[in-house]
Every structure is written in structure tokens, then in C-alpha cells.
Amino acid sequence: MGNRAQVTYDREVEMGYIYFCEPSLYKVTSTEELPVNDDIMLDFGEGIPIVGIELGGDTARKVETLADKGHIFKKEVTGDGKTYYTFRLSDERPRKSIFHPEVDSIVFHFSDTTCEDFIGIDIFDSDSYSELDLTDQI
């Protein structure tokens, strides 16, 4: 994504968007709500699991301050040596973490057990997503 914003926010419609990859390279094939939170809509892509997520309601307002920022993810390594990318809106410890039934390599984290308070994402698919798109680390 280079210098392109990874997070956008449209104040007029109060919608946010987090891009996981360069959107011009992938066609969005369908959009589905995350089953546990209808503020989070996943844009599934052709040739990539998820292009990005659309955010509405309170969830969108949480990313408003990140609008126009790039490289919001950090590269981390699991205990068994696998690379993943993580993004957090706060330092709160997740009380519930879920994934969409069709994409188990992207985990959504919430600070509450009812999945209303979105606090972050982990991407465990380093084959589909570019470190250069997600992080500023090389």
C-alpha cells in the first residue's frame, strides 16, 4: 500500500474502513457481517481471503482518530515461530476472540463477552498478506 492510508473514516456517513491489502489489486466478491457484531462487515476478495473491513456505529467511531494512517499492524511471532500481524485499539486484554466461519486465519478481538466492544485484529495468514502493506517494519 506504500504511503496509502490503511484506515479511512467518512464523517458524513460515519463509516470506517481498515484495508488489509492494496484494494486496487483485488476485486471484492462479497460482503458479510461478522456473525457476532453487525457493525463489522468483511469484504471478501478474489485471490485473497479478506480485502478489508467496513466499520459502522460505535466501532467506526473508535477508528476515526486513526483515519489516514498507514501501517497500523505490528509484526509478531508466535511461541512456535509463526509470523502474524496484530492491530489493537487499546491495551485491554480480549475477553472474547472470534473469526468468520470462512476465514479462520483472521481473528477479531473484543473487550467484552458479547462482542460489542471491538479492540483489535490478528492476521495469521502471512502468505496472502504483505508485510509491506500491513506494517512499517522491513
Side-chain angles (χ1 to χ4, degrees), residues 15-26:
M15 293 289 292
Y17 199 91
I18 298 174
Y19 296 92
F20 294 172
C21 60
E22 175 56 56
S24 64
L25 300 177
Y26 299 96

Side-chain angles (χ1 to χ4, degrees), residues 1-2 22 30 33 38 46 48 54 58 60 62 92 98-99 108 112 131 135:
M1 263 182 286
E22 175 56 56
S30 65
E33 290 178 354
D38 60 7
E46 188 174 289
I48 198 160
E54 298 173 39
D58 291 337
K62 290 179 84 171
E92 286 182 77
I98 62 105
F99 54 87
F108 297 85
D112 60 332
E131 185 171 331
T135 75

Side-chain angles (χ1 to χ4, degrees), residues 62 86-97 108-113 116-122:
K62 290 179 84 171
T86 186
F87 160 70
R88 292 291 186 278
L89 285 165
S90 77
D91 292 335
E92 286 182 77
R93 186 176 175 92
R95 299 220 29 228
K96 189 157 189 180
S97 300
F108 297 85
H109 300 287
F110 300 88
S111 70
D112 60 332
T113 57
E116 291 179 25
D117 189 20
F118 171 73
I119 58 171
I121 303 164
D122 290 338

Side-chain angles (χ1 to χ4, degrees), residues 1-6 22 68-71 132-133:
M1 263 182 286
N3 294 329
R4 187 180 201 299
Q6 190 170 17
E22 175 56 56
D68 302 323
K69 287 197 170 69
H71 302 118
L132 294 174
D133 284 346

Side-chain angles (χ1 to χ4, degrees), residues 3 8 14 53 72 74 98 100-101:
N3 294 329
T8 60
E14 296 183 338
I53 58 172
I72 61 169
K74 291 186 172 121
I98 62 105
H100 188 279

Side-chain angles (χ1 to χ4, degrees), residues 28-46:
V28 172
T29 57
S30 65
T31 300
E32 290 183 30
E33 290 178 354
L34 190 63
V36 296
N37 184 319
D38 60 7
D39 278 353
I40 302 173
M41 284 98 20
L42 288 62
D43 282 343
F44 291 91
E46 188 174 289

